Amino acid sequence: MSARASASPQNSEWLTRRKLVDPQLAAAGWKVVAFDPALSLVAYDRCAIVEFPTDNGPADYALCVGGRILGIVEAKKLSLGPQNVLTQAERYSRGASANPLHFGAYYVPFLYSTNGEVIWYHDIRHEFNRSRKIAAFHSPVALLEQLQSNFEEACRALLALPNTHTRLRDYQIDCNAEIEKAIDKRKRHILVAMATGTGKTFTMVNEVYRLMKSGVARRILFLVDRRALAAQAVRAFASFEPEPGLKFDKIYEVYSQRFQTEDFDENEKFDPKLLPNSYLTDPRPGTTFLYVSTIQRMTINLFGKAAAFGDEEGDGEEDAVQLAIPTHAFDVIIADECHRGYTAQDLAVWRATLDHFDAIKIGLTATPAAHTTTYFRDVVFRYEYERAVREGHLVDYDVVAIRSEVRMNGTFLKEGELVGHVDTETGSEQMDYLEDERAFEASAIEKEVTVPVSNEMILQEIRKYALEHEEKFGRFPKTLIFAANDLPHTSHADQLVEKARDVFERGEAFVAKITGRVDRPLQRIREFRNRPQPSIVVTVDLLSTGVDIPDLEFIVFLRQVKSRILFEQMVGRGTRKGEKHKDKSHFTVFDCFDGTLLAYFRNATAITAEKPAPKSRTIAEIIEDIWQNRDREHNVRCLVKRLQRIAKEMSGAAREQFAAYIPDGDVARYAEELPAALKKDFTGTMNLLRNKAFQDLLVNYPRPERTFLKGYEAEDTVSSVWMVRDADGNDYRPEDYLTAFSRYIAEHENEIEAISILLKRPASWGMEALAELRRKLVAAPQRFTEENLQKAHELTYHKAMVDIISMVKHAARSEEELYTAQERVQRAMMRLTGSQKFTPEQMDWLERIRIHLVQNLSISRDDFDDVPVFSHVGGWGRANRAFTGHLTELLKRINEAVAA
């Protein structure tokens, strides 16, 4: 964040030291003094001694504290990169034999090289310590603290510390172990990727305790990007009990920034402690504490309010002030949700904030992005969503593809149709009949035009699935709808709220909007999480990340998303297991773009390649680059494109204002002729372009008023289909899923014994074959679960609850009839009783067998002693006597009849 010095021929090493390095050393607390051979080292305390003599020549600076040289600084002129100069500092360290310290071949432990702009630093005491770039020189106190610490011993203590907390899951223990191995290997940038809902925060709360307990870190900064997340983190630390009977905040100091009432749950009694500024500006050796802060606040603390980057949720830090915080203020920084992309300009500030501190940095994310891995480098641990589902810590999701012709192809308004013209400034609406036909592409829906019936029909389709869910589970599914926008007067979110209240007919409170435009949005989110109502919430992106709603069961995408990070975060709202609803086995994603949204992200990788939005140069900056002859041809092309964009966006009033500078105010023609004009008369053309009034007009030209139509008579066709997701994230329509199942059965008929038995040797059917069949089908890449297959058969063949035997037989031979388990068992028992007469006692036993078969599709001798329906009336012994000792043969016949 320093101001760049001009690169002139006079920038010699001497000027570098005098003008650039001396002030930086002084700012870090060093007194810059010339070497005096008449003085002993004891006379130099907190001094940067210039031209300090060593056996290998004079060092540019020797950093001396209490009679000991702790650091060597080698300075080079501005035009040289300082990284490779560290070898020269090493030579002087080996030659500083008068220093009372000794580390192998070296006498000075801390080495620096700088050109006044960039500082490289190397602690040579351990062979694994890597040189690194730092933002500022360490203070005398910081170097003394480093000298007196034994990082190697602390790492040994960390690795030896038992990690047996009862609340930790195996993968969280593994995560802790990988982080600690990386720290022991002297890694300074560490990235942890864990799926949303798998306990990243709890894992790191435990890690913070271990780092403090072992002495690896004393001052730890926990950074988040929203105040509500900071409040969650503070609560997590306060409630964690790392030692029996002792909460974390009773063992170590926990501080936070200032919060607001809405940052906490209602009726929650919690009193976070505010961090004294002195803990930041004057870190004391031996003080151990944790500080939870937003990165926005820390940015202001470091660089002032002008450097702060905003967030879309208005989560400001009005009370934050700039402070003089030294580079050693924290030993470890943990950056939560570090995937957030921001813009390139924001990213630069984000990195500068982290880079200011010479600390171990640990990044946490569910969705690593390219800029995340570039900064944190080493992904030391991954726990992916698919694995979390497989191990039962998260739930999977079903997909319903809703096809709306309007959403897919746009709308066509016919001449004479009734439309509403909305004044986007005031919200007033004027009804009129369309004078001429108008066509709108799909991208214009909810931006330039809305078709009310389309939104209503989509909600009606969702209602159908919600009522099915309510009938099956006895509760209405908590539903989150992502709308296209929440613009004043033309809000898609508002329209959906009103339509949903009409469609679901359950009152005003049943549906709510939660966006940045509502009062106390954090409180509204908690009400959605904790209360029965609202059951449906419409948002845009406020609930896309960092919001924990475990009982969420429906997620509806009525907005297009192109960011993989945003999409995965949105879907991540539903992945947690139910809190109140323990039977939540999955959630459902409604893709209102006929499945194309999910298809777009189907090939999602663990590391998304998407980049932050680039910073847009101002038109004045482009013009200045042309004037300074910086990549002139490229910048002329950029300027022409900007001017062409202006020509398309400006109003008639703008043309009149531009006429004062260019002929007829024709910006399009001016843009077309600009390259030739610059070649013919560069100075004259640039005089106009550099005119401040002209530049102001290029930015603030009058735009046409935004128009918005409501197509009251426009029509839509809406349909939906439930889809199946396989283990690789591919989505299948029911008929395609069954085609894949048929292919799988054909390919594995001879490989899987159970399939072979059903198709060729039904007499061998039994519990073992059934168990193998279920296990193999679920393990297939397509995840052929009975539930998925039954639903696909129901939707394709209109036959509910088809049994697994019928599925396999029909997949192999399409002429095979589909039965439910009840029908199949009834058919088998009728064959048995039709060919043989049984006593009343035997018929009672056969009825018990029938009931068991409906649930299990096979029976064995062990069932008679293990299953209550048999064991409670005498078990195997009594049953076998009833059948005069021939029950074994009878069971074999029954199993064969079931499988036939």
Side-chain angles (χ1 to χ4, degrees):
M1 303 297 290
S2 59
R4 190 165 187 83
S6 60
S8 67
Q10 287 74 35
N11 264 328
S12 64
E13 292 177 22
W14 181 86
L15 278 176
T16 296
R17 295 206 309 258
R18 174 63 65 85
K19 292 187 175 181
L20 300 177
V21 180
D22 286 6
Q24 292 183 43
L25 287 168
W30 299 96
K31 182 180 179 183
V32 180
V33 298
F35 173 69
D36 185 347
L39 298 176
S40 68
L41 281 178
V42 178
Y44 297 99
D45 187 36
R46 302 179 177 235
C47 290
I49 308 171
V50 178
E51 297 292 331
F52 180 78
T54 74
D55 299 343
N56 295 326
D60 289 339
Y61 300 90
L63 306 181
C64 186
V65 180
R68 295 179 295 180
I69 304 296
L70 302 187
I72 294 287
V73 181
E74 195 58 25
K76 293 298 177 184
K77 60 185 178 181
L78 189 62
S79 58
L80 293 181
Q83 184 175 5
N84 296 325
V85 184
L86 275 172
T87 54
Q88 193 170 338
E90 290 175 9
R91 189 169 76 248
Y92 295 141
S93 175
R94 288 193 296 268
S97 55
N99 198 38
L101 302 175
H102 197 244
F103 307 93
Y106 299 95
Y107 293 97
V108 180
F110 309 122
L111 310 180
Y112 301 83
S113 62
T114 182
N115 63 356
E117 277 288 322
V118 177
I119 303 171
W120 277 82
Y121 166 73
H122 191 193
D123 177 352
I124 51 79
R125 293 177 298 168
H126 192 282
E127 60 180 333
F128 289 166
N129 286 345
R130 296 276 302 276
S131 61
R132 59 183 182 268
K133 189 161 68 169
I134 58 176
F137 290 107
H138 297 103
S139 70
V141 172
L143 288 192
L144 268 178
E145 185 178 18
Q146 286 192 50
L147 182 68
Q148 292 164 2
S149 68
N150 191 331
F151 189 76
E152 190 171 359
E153 183 179 312
C155 284
R156 282 198 297 269
L158 177 64
L159 296 177
L161 191 63
N163 197 12
T164 56
H165 197 284
T166 55
R167 285 180 57 197
L168 284 170
R169 296 169 178 166
D170 288 344
Y171 66 87
Q172 293 171 323
I173 294 172
D174 293 342
C175 178
N176 290 147
E178 293 304 320
I179 291 172
E180 291 162 12
K181 287 178 190 174
I183 291 174
D184 183 53
K185 292 177 181 177
R186 305 309 197 268
K187 301 287 187 184
R188 306 282 295 183
H189 292 75
I190 298 167
L191 183 60
V192 170
M194 292 172 64
T196 299
T198 55
K200 292 190 299 294
T201 302
F202 181 74
T203 305
M204 294 315 299
V205 167
N206 183 60
E207 187 61 59
V208 167
Y209 167 75
R210 293 174 58 79
L211 293 172
M212 289 181 166
K213 180 77 172 178
S214 63
V216 168
R218 294 187 180 279
R219 302 180 296 272
I220 297 181
L221 173 63
F222 195 96
L223 282 177
V224 297
D225 72 343
R226 284 184 18 222
R227 202 177 57 240
L229 297 182
Q232 288 180 22
V234 170
R235 288 197 303 271
F237 278 101
S239 62
F240 179 54
E241 189 174 291
E243 299 174 15
L246 285 174
K247 301 288 189 184
F248 183 93
D249 60 353
K250 302 303 179 187
I251 303 172
Y252 300 112
E253 295 178 86
V254 177
Y255 293 100
S256 68
Q257 62 184 91
R258 191 179 304 278
F259 292 117
Q260 297 177 7
T261 304
E262 66 177 72
D263 295 327
F264 298 96
D265 288 336
E266 49 193 333
N267 303 321
E268 182 176 10
K269 294 181 179 179
F270 190 74
D271 185 23
K273 293 197 298 184
L274 299 183
L275 182 76
N277 284 344
S278 62
Y279 274 50
L280 293 175
T281 58
D282 187 20
R284 300 294 177 90
T287 303
T288 302
F289 69 93
L290 171 83
Y291 177 44
V292 180
S293 170
T294 63
I295 192 165
Q296 292 90 338
R297 185 182 191 86
M298 185 53 65
T299 296
I300 295 171
N301 288 156
L302 291 173
F303 310 122
K305 289 188 182 293
F309 55 99
D311 73 314
E312 69 277 11
E313 296 161 19
D315 200 9
E317 298 290 351
E318 291 79 7
D319 63 317
V321 296
Q322 188 169 3
L323 302 168
I325 304 176
T327 189
H328 70 286
F330 296 101
D331 305 314
V332 170
I333 297 177
I334 298 169
D336 195 11
E337 303 289 359
C338 64
H339 60 269
R340 295 293 285 271
Y342 312 110
T343 64
Q345 183 179 13
D346 288 345
L347 178 58
V349 179
W350 178 86
R351 294 185 67 146
T353 300
L354 294 178
D355 284 342
H356 175 83
F357 299 104
D358 183 31
I360 296 169
K361 282 111 178 179
I362 303 173
L364 306 181
T365 183
T367 48
H371 68 273
T372 315
T373 52
T374 298
Y375 184 82
F376 286 100
R377 304 170 198 167
D378 294 304
V379 183
V380 301
F381 182 79
R382 294 181 189 275
Y383 191 68
E384 299 88 349
Y385 170 65
E386 290 75 15
R387 179 182 164 192
V389 170
R390 193 167 60 248
E391 295 179 356
H393 299 300
L394 296 178
V395 298
D396 202 357
Y397 63 88
D398 286 345
V399 175
V400 173
I402 295 181
R403 179 176 180 84
S404 155
E405 292 301 323
V406 167
R407 256 69 195 173
M408 300 306 298
N409 301 314
T411 190
F412 184 80
L413 304 183
K414 301 172 187 175
E415 180 182 349
E417 283 188 349
L418 181 67
V419 296
H421 292 269
V422 178
D423 186 325
T424 57
E425 294 296 320
T426 66
S428 63
E429 181 178 348
Q430 181 178 344
M431 307 297 288
D432 200 358
Y433 293 98
L434 203 62
E435 292 185 3
D436 193 11
E437 62 187 30
R438 290 193 65 178
F440 293 90
E441 294 183 354
S443 59
I445 304 300
E446 309 307 342
K447 293 180 182 177
E448 301 171 29
V449 64
T450 186
V451 179
V453 71
S454 174
N455 287 310
E456 182 176 345
M457 292 177 74
I458 290 170
L459 290 169
Q460 289 282 6
E461 205 67 22
I462 295 166
R463 179 179 180 271
K464 179 177 71 176
Y465 290 91
L467 294 180
E468 287 178 6
H469 183 283
E470 190 172 30
E471 183 177 351
K472 182 177 181 179
F473 294 102
R475 63 177 180 270
F476 190 93
K478 280 274 186 186
T479 301
L480 181 61
I481 301 175
F482 288 104
N485 61 65
D486 188 28
L487 298 172
H489 310 309
T490 61
S491 169
H492 184 220
D494 285 344
Q495 185 183 165
L496 288 174
V497 168
E498 289 303 310
K499 290 290 182 185
R501 286 170 178 161
D502 292 339
V503 166
F504 289 93
E505 298 179 310
R506 303 201 185 191
E508 183 91 359
F510 190 75
V511 185
K513 178 179 81 170
I514 304 179
T515 69
R517 292 181 58 223
V518 303
D519 181 46
R520 302 174 72 83
L522 296 177
Q523 182 176 323
R524 302 286 89 80
I525 291 171
R526 281 193 293 274
E527 290 169 355
F528 181 45
R529 182 193 194 280
N530 299 324
R531 297 180 181 180
Q533 292 195 358
S535 290
I536 299 174
V537 157
V538 180
T539 189
V540 177
D541 55 16
L542 185 61
L543 279 77
S544 63
T545 182
V547 176
D548 180 10
I549 306 176
D551 294 316
L552 191 65
E553 294 185 279
F554 278 16
I555 296 178
V556 180
F557 284 93
L558 254 169
R559 61 167 288 192
Q560 284 282 10
V561 180
K562 294 300 181 184
S563 162
R564 191 182 312 281
I565 291 176
L566 182 58
F567 172 77
E568 291 178 0
Q569 288 291 318
M570 286 172 160
V571 170
R573 298 312 97 212
T575 59
R576 287 174 173 84
K577 297 170 75 173
E579 192 172 80
K580 298 183 181 70
H581 307 312
K582 302 297 184 183
D583 59 343
K584 176 185 173 183
S585 60
H586 68 284
F587 65 104
T588 303
V589 173
F590 293 83
D591 181 347
C592 297
F593 302 92
D594 198 25
T596 59
L597 188 63
L598 285 153
Y600 179 80
F601 296 109
R602 182 172 294 156
N603 298 319
T605 57
I607 302 292
T608 173
E610 67 187 58
K611 300 175 181 177
K615 176 190 176 185
S616 180
R617 287 186 299 164
T618 66
I619 202 163
E621 289 172 336
I622 296 173
I623 291 169
E624 185 62 19
D625 284 342
I626 296 171
W627 176 249
Q628 296 295 342
N629 203 20
R630 287 193 284 263
D631 201 358
R632 181 181 290 178
E633 288 188 10
H634 167 74
N635 283 302
V636 168
R637 290 196 298 272
C638 290
L639 181 57
V640 167
K641 287 184 178 179
R642 292 287 184 94
L643 293 171
Q644 289 170 338
R645 191 183 309 161
I646 292 170
K648 292 177 182 178
E649 295 177 351
M650 68 185 195
S651 66
R655 180 180 291 270
E656 294 174 1
Q657 293 182 27
F658 275 113
Y661 301 96
I662 58 178
D664 301 323
D666 191 339
V667 177
R669 188 174 66 197
Y670 178 75
E672 184 182 351
E673 297 172 353
L674 183 62
L678 285 167
K679 289 180 180 178
K680 183 178 180 181
D681 181 11
F682 180 78
T683 303
T685 305
M686 290 303 301
N687 283 340
L688 172 60
L689 287 171
R690 299 183 74 211
N691 181 296
K692 296 300 181 185
F694 183 61
Q695 288 187 2
D696 180 71
L697 183 58
L698 289 172
V699 174
N700 299 309
Y701 57 90
R703 274 83 165 167
E705 291 184 4
R706 185 170 72 92
T707 60
F708 191 81
L709 293 179
K710 291 185 178 180
Y712 287 108
E713 296 186 54
E715 298 178 350
D716 194 9
T717 302
V718 175
S719 60
S720 66
V721 60
W722 170 83
M723 302 179 77
V724 186
R725 284 182 74 245
D726 69 11
D728 297 322
N730 298 307
D731 300 314
Y732 295 84
R733 294 177 184 272
E735 60 272 20
D736 298 330
Y737 190 60
L738 295 183
T739 299
F741 181 60
S742 296
R743 188 162 52 246
Y744 180 87
I745 295 299
E747 292 171 355
H748 296 82
E749 178 179 340
N750 298 319
E751 179 184 327
I752 298 176
E753 179 75 4
I755 297 177
S756 180
I757 287 172
L758 282 177
L759 299 181
K760 300 174 182 176
R761 298 177 282 114
S764 300
W765 182 251
M767 283 297 298
E768 289 185 4
L770 178 60
E772 182 203 18
L773 179 63
R774 285 171 168 158
R775 187 171 61 252
K776 293 285 187 180
L777 292 182
V778 170
Q782 297 85 355
R783 288 195 289 209
F784 293 123
T785 67
E786 284 182 75
E787 184 181 3
N788 284 345
L789 288 167
Q790 283 180 340
K791 199 160 188 176
H793 279 87
E794 182 179 358
L795 293 170
T796 304
Y797 299 110
H798 309 291
K799 177 76 175 181
M801 301 303 292
V802 174
D803 74 90
I804 193 169
I805 296 173
S806 292
M807 296 175 193
V808 172
K809 287 177 169 290
H810 187 268
R813 298 185 284 268
S814 59
E815 67 274 10
E816 287 277 353
E817 192 169 347
L818 294 171
Y819 297 105
T820 66
Q822 181 127 358
E823 291 169 343
R824 174 168 293 280
V825 172
Q826 189 66 31
R827 172 174 164 268
M829 299 304 286
M830 286 178 66
R831 284 183 184 178
L832 184 71
T833 57
S835 61
Q836 180 180 346
K837 288 192 175 183
F838 294 94
T839 67
E841 183 184 8
Q842 289 172 337
M843 290 299 293
D844 288 341
W845 280 104
L846 287 175
E847 176 60 16
R848 296 184 189 105
I849 291 171
R850 186 193 69 79
I851 293 170
H852 176 78
L853 284 171
V854 170
Q855 298 298 320
N856 299 279
L857 291 176
S858 70
I859 190 166
S860 69
R861 172 174 175 159
D862 292 342
D863 292 331
F864 284 81
D865 293 323
D866 296 338
V867 179
V869 70
F870 301 123
S871 62
H872 286 175
V873 288
W876 174 261
R878 185 171 177 182
N880 195 33
R881 285 194 300 273
F883 289 97
T884 64
H886 296 93
L887 185 54
T888 300
E889 295 85 355
L890 181 66
L891 294 183
K892 189 171 182 179
R893 287 170 55 200
I894 290 173
N895 280 330
E896 181 178 4
V898 169

